[in-house]
Amino acid sequence: MTAATSNADIQPRSSTDKLLDQSFSRLTLVCAFSVAAVLVWIAIVVGIQALPAMQKFGLGFLTGTKWNSAKETFGALPMIYGTLVSSLIALLLAVPTGLASAIVLSENFLPRSIRTTLVFLIELLAAIPSIIYGFWGIFVVIPFLKGIGTWLHQYLGWLPLFSTPPIGPGMLPAGVVLSIMILPILTVLSRDALASLPSDLRSGAYSVGSTRWQTIFKILIPAAFSGIVSGIMLSLGRALGETMAVTLVIGNSNDLNFSLLAPANTISSLVVSQFSEATGLQKSSLMYAALVLFAITLIVNIWALIIVRKVKQ
């Protein structure tokens, strides 16, 4: 077949096809911009509701340590501290466990049937309602950690992190429950990042004499690092905003206490526990706290994007 013949066989696109392509392109643009519009809309609505508290307290709201609705004195520092520290505890526990699980599930350490079953069970953990995790934390995690907390306070009580005796609910149980909740997300995304790598990386590393563990830690994990970081940041986002499970196990104390064994509070727990009865300035202060949580989450996602771009470069 000559070039002239092949070109003659190509039929020009009809006006209907061109119209459909243009319509689909415009529809995708509308959908993309609608996501950004919803994000801005949420921020504007929350910001308007928080305006009275912002005008009265200003940036002092972020450093205030007293939350007293009777005296209309509101400071969010204890809740900001509780949100960040509980999420940090969750990451410290979940990242090594999740990454190790992802390696085992993606690098043929186990037969395929067992790996498939484990992947299904891990994904099933993500489908459990958060209230169930909260009840499990009350009846299992808190009693289990109470003995450990007593030992930590007895022998390491000179450290500010363990300076108070455990009374049950507290920062440490909340961090442990959060770590279990974010573990499925982190594991599945890290596994997908490792499994999607081309097989040439593995075969090339083995061909130059690398061991399995050298291949994993020096070749595969750096190559999949952007996907792993994305999983970590997505897990962190859920930990920052988790509400019901944390509310049941953290103690809901609005006092600033650096001990991990003492009751604490988070922004999301504060909002859900007080919003139904809040009025006036208290309601505006809760919306101000929600806006702070919104900003923290946004900063975390921007930070993750910067890290991923630097790694790709």
Side-chain angles (χ1 to χ4, degrees), residues 203-221:
S203 58
Y206 293 144
S207 66
V208 296
S210 299
T211 65
R212 169 177 279 189
W213 292 109
Q214 288 175 332
T215 301
I216 291 173
F217 286 105
K218 295 184 178 181
I219 304 297
L220 300 183
I221 290 180

Side-chain angles (χ1 to χ4, degrees), residues 106-158:
S106 63
E107 296 305 314
N108 299 324
F109 284 93
L110 298 172
R112 180 179 294 273
S113 59
I114 297 178
R115 283 187 285 127
T116 302
T117 303
L118 289 176
V119 171
F120 172 76
L121 293 176
I122 292 173
E123 292 176 348
L124 188 61
L125 283 175
I128 298 176
S130 61
I131 190 70
I132 303 300
Y133 280 107
F135 286 137
W136 182 77
I138 291 174
F139 294 108
V140 177
V141 176
I142 289 179
F144 175 75
L145 291 179
K146 193 170 183 179
I148 297 176
T150 301
W151 184 90
L152 290 172
H153 175 66
Q154 182 178 356
Y155 293 99
L156 299 175
W158 52 274

Side-chain angles (χ1 to χ4, degrees), residues 13-26:
R13 298 178 62 198
S14 64
S15 58
T16 302
D17 291 338
K18 294 180 179 179
L19 180 61
L20 288 174
D21 287 346
Q22 292 176 356
S23 300
F24 182 76
S25 176
R26 291 171 182 172

Side-chain angles (χ1 to χ4, degrees), residues 1-294:
M1 182 181 295
T2 63
T5 304
S6 61
N7 291 332
D9 293 338
I10 299 176
Q11 298 296 328
R13 298 178 62 198
S14 64
S15 58
T16 302
D17 291 338
K18 294 180 179 179
L19 180 61
L20 288 174
D21 287 346
Q22 292 176 356
S23 300
F24 182 76
S25 176
R26 291 171 182 172
L27 180 61
T28 55
L29 288 174
V30 170
C31 292
F33 282 106
S34 65
V35 174
V38 169
L39 181 67
V40 174
W41 188 13
I42 293 173
I44 292 175
V45 171
V46 175
I48 292 174
Q49 296 293 324
L51 193 58
M54 295 172 66
Q55 292 174 341
K56 180 170 183 178
F57 301 113
L59 295 179
F61 181 80
L62 305 179
T63 58
T65 59
K66 301 296 182 181
W67 189 279
N68 191 325
S69 57
K71 297 181 179 180
E72 292 193 339
T73 301
F74 302 105
L77 183 59
M79 282 63 75
I80 295 173
Y81 174 79
T83 300
L84 296 176
V85 173
S86 61
S87 300
L88 179 60
I89 294 173
L91 283 185
L92 291 176
L93 296 175
V95 169
T97 306
L99 187 56
S101 301
I103 292 172
V104 170
L105 296 175
S106 63
E107 296 305 314
N108 299 324
F109 284 93
L110 298 172
R112 180 179 294 273
S113 59
I114 297 178
R115 283 187 285 127
T116 302
T117 303
L118 289 176
V119 171
F120 172 76
L121 293 176
I122 292 173
E123 292 176 348
L124 188 61
L125 283 175
I128 298 176
S130 61
I131 190 70
I132 303 300
Y133 280 107
F135 286 137
W136 182 77
I138 291 174
F139 294 108
V140 177
V141 176
I142 289 179
F144 175 75
L145 291 179
K146 193 170 183 179
I148 297 176
T150 301
W151 184 90
L152 290 172
H153 175 66
Q154 182 178 356
Y155 293 99
L156 299 175
W158 52 274
L159 292 173
L161 294 179
F162 310 113
S163 59
T164 60
I167 62 173
M171 184 78 76
L172 186 59
V176 172
V177 171
L178 279 177
S179 69
I180 298 172
M181 294 183 68
I182 68 175
L183 187 60
I185 300 174
L186 199 153
T187 301
V188 170
L189 292 179
S190 298
R191 173 187 173 274
D192 291 343
L194 291 170
S196 63
L197 295 176
S199 57
D200 294 344
L201 288 176
R202 296 173 176 83
S203 58
Y206 293 144
S207 66
V208 296
S210 299
T211 65
R212 169 177 279 189
W213 292 109
Q214 288 175 332
T215 301
I216 291 173
F217 286 105
K218 295 184 178 181
I219 304 297
L220 300 183
I221 290 180
F225 188 72
S226 60
I228 294 173
V229 170
S230 299
I232 293 174
M233 292 305 170
L234 186 61
S235 302
L236 178 58
R238 179 175 184 184
L240 289 171
E242 180 54 43
T243 304
M244 291 309 302
V246 176
T247 303
L248 292 176
V249 299
I250 200 170
N252 300 314
S253 172
N254 296 331
D255 297 328
L256 181 61
N257 195 323
F258 294 102
S259 175
L260 301 182
L261 308 178
N265 209 351
T266 64
I267 295 176
S268 56
S269 297
L270 174 74
V271 173
V272 76
S273 62
Q274 296 192 9
F275 191 79
S276 60
E277 301 177 355
T279 57
L281 188 60
Q282 182 184 5
K283 183 177 180 181
S284 180
S285 298
L286 291 174
M287 299 302 288
Y288 193 1
L291 189 64
V292 172
L293 180 60
F294 187 89

